[in-house]
Amino acid sequence: MTRVAAIDCGTNTIRLLVADAVRDEHTGAVRLHPLHRSSTIVRLGQGVDRTGRLDPEALARTLAVVREYAATCAGLDVPLNAEHARFVATSATRDAENRDEFVDGVRAALGIVPEVVSGEEEARLSFAGSLLGADDDGAPAAGPAEADRAGQEPAKQRNEATHGPRLVVDLGGGSTELVLGVDAPQAAYSMNTGSVRITERYLADGVTPAAEQAARAEVRALLDRAADAVDLGAATRLVGLAGTISTVTAHALGLDAFDRDAIDGAELSIARVLASCDAIVHSTAAQRESWGYLLPGRRDVIAAGALVWSEVVSRVAADTAAAGHPLTTAVTSLSDILDGIAISLLPAGAQA
C-alpha cells in the first residue's frame, strides 16, 4: 500500500486527492482508498484566452489553495516528494506565457515541481482514472441503488455493447479531451474549448441567439477536427467526466443538492441529457442560484459548459448512428483525471 497525493489544477478548479493506493498482486488492478478530497474553484485561467498570461489575482488565489493543500498532505503523512505526490496543471497553464511564475510558486509552496502536461497526457490520465469507476464490462459502476435510482434508464433500454471502445470525454474549463479505447487509449484528441473559454469568447454578456450560434459553430468545427483523430462513430459507450457533466446529470436527475452516489455511474438517455443541457444553456441567473448542486464559482460558466457537452453528445449520437450502432445513453463517472494522477504514482510492480 502506498499513500499518495494527487493534485489536478485546471482552468477553473484545483482539486486534491489523498489516498492509499493498492495494486492487486494477481490481476495488477489498482484500487484507491480515498482519505481526503478537496475541490476549490480558483479560476486560474481567468483571461488567459484573451491575454495569454495568468492573471496576478488568479495566480495568488491558486497558490493560497496550494499552501492549504500542502498543510493537508502534511497532516495526512504524505511525503511531499516525486514518489508520493504529483501535481498536474492543464489547459490554462499550458497556454500561459508566464507559466514559470506558477511553477515557481507551486514549488515554493508544495516542495514538488508541477507538471504542465500536454493535452495528450491529460487525455491519458483522464482515461486511466475513468477505468477505476468501471465494472468488468467497461461501464462505470453505479452505487448500490443503481437498479432503482429515479431518473435513470431501465437496464433493458441501455446499450448492450459494453465490450467495445468507450469514448471518454473530460470537459474542462479550457480544454475538452476525447479518448477512445477499451483498456487503454487507442486514440485521443484535446480540443481547445471548455466552459471558461467559451464563456469568455462568446457568452460573457449572456446567451443571445447570435452568441449561441457562434459558440456552437466553433465547437462543431473543433469536433470536425477531433473526428479526424478519433473515430467517434466507433464508440460503444459514452462516458462523461468533470464538473460540467456532473452538473448536467444532477439537473437531469432533479437533485436538490450534489449527491455523489446518485451522480456517479448515472446512465441517462441522450434525449434527457440534451434536454437538461438546453435548459441550462437558457437558464436565468435566479434559476442557477437556486440549484443546490451548482457551486457559485461555476454559475457564470455552466451555460457554456452545457453547450459544449450538448454538441459533443449530439455529434457522437449522430456518428454512431451513421456507423449502424446508435448510442442512446450517456454515462457520468466521478472517477477522472484526479484518480488517474493518483494511480500513476503507484509503481508498476507495487503489490498490496
Side-chain angles (χ1 to χ4, degrees):
M1 182 178 294
T2 304
R3 183 156 296 183
V4 298
I7 299 176
D8 164 39
C9 187
T11 299
N12 201 42
T13 309
I14 183 170
R15 301 181 298 154
L16 166 69
L17 169 63
V18 177
D20 288 330
V22 180
R23 186 183 299 277
D24 187 282
E25 60 182 307
H26 301 295
T27 67
V30 176
R31 289 289 177 265
L32 294 178
H33 302 285
L35 303 174
H36 176 88
R37 289 183 185 269
S38 296
S39 178
T40 309
I41 294 177
V42 292
R43 195 67 60 85
L44 177 63
Q46 174 186 324
V48 170
D49 188 61
R50 176 177 55 83
T51 68
R53 296 181 60 83
L54 295 171
D55 179 83
E57 292 184 1
L59 187 57
R61 286 194 302 268
T62 305
L63 292 178
V65 175
V66 173
R67 289 188 285 272
E68 293 175 9
Y69 286 0
T72 298
C73 291
L76 291 171
D77 297 322
V78 182
L80 289 175
N81 56 44
E83 289 72 39
H84 294 87
R86 187 178 182 188
F87 187 120
V88 167
T90 56
S91 177
T93 315
R94 279 199 297 269
D95 294 346
E97 63 184 36
N98 61 335
R99 69 180 68 90
D100 288 347
E101 296 178 36
F102 172 77
V103 170
D104 292 343
V106 171
R107 183 193 293 114
L110 201 60
I112 60 173
V113 179
E115 300 174 54
V116 183
V117 298
S118 66
E120 290 71 24
E121 173 67 359
E122 183 177 358
R124 188 190 70 78
L125 290 169
S126 295
F127 189 90
S130 77
L131 291 178
L132 282 186
D135 59 25
D136 291 338
D137 289 329
E146 175 189 10
D148 299 320
R149 186 178 299 150
Q152 290 200 43
E153 299 308 303
K156 65 182 179 181
Q157 295 180 9
R158 296 177 185 173
N159 293 288
E160 296 178 356
T162 56
H163 292 284
R166 59 210 308 259
L167 180 68
V168 174
V169 181
D170 185 353
L171 201 168
S175 67
T176 297
E177 280 64 49
L178 307 173
V179 198
L180 184 72
V182 180
D183 298 320
Q186 298 170 354
Y189 188 82
S190 180
M191 300 192 300
N192 279 329
T193 192
S195 61
V196 174
R197 198 183 294 268
I198 288 294
T199 298
E200 292 185 351
R201 285 188 180 182
Y202 300 104
L203 307 181
D205 296 323
V207 181
T208 64
E212 180 180 352
Q213 183 179 17
R216 290 190 183 279
E218 175 165 313
V219 178
R220 288 170 186 171
L222 290 169
L223 282 166
D224 286 342
R225 286 184 231 163
D228 290 335
V230 179
D231 183 0
L232 303 179
T236 60
R237 203 159 183 88
L238 175 60
V239 181
L241 317 179
T244 285
I245 295 170
S246 63
T247 299
V248 171
T249 303
H251 182 279
L253 292 173
L255 301 181
D256 293 324
F258 184 86
D259 182 340
R260 187 177 184 89
D261 288 338
I263 293 170
D264 194 21
E267 183 166 12
L268 300 169
S269 71
I270 296 297
R272 190 161 190 168
V273 171
L274 293 177
S276 278
C277 285
D278 186 69
I280 292 170
V281 169
H282 300 107
S283 62
T284 65
Q287 286 176 313
R288 293 190 292 275
E289 188 173 350
S290 73
W291 295 335
Y293 47 80
L294 180 58
L295 294 174
R298 203 181 296 281
R299 289 174 188 161
D300 64 326
V301 298
I302 190 59
L307 183 151
V308 174
W309 184 223
S310 70
E311 290 297 330
V312 173
V313 171
S314 296
R315 177 61 181 265
V316 173
D319 284 10
T320 54
H325 56 95
L327 285 183
T328 59
T329 62
V331 184
T332 301
S333 173
L334 296 183
S335 297
D336 57 19
I337 185 173
L338 190 62
D339 303 83
I341 296 167
I343 63 175
S344 74
L345 286 161
L346 194 62
Q351 298 179 354

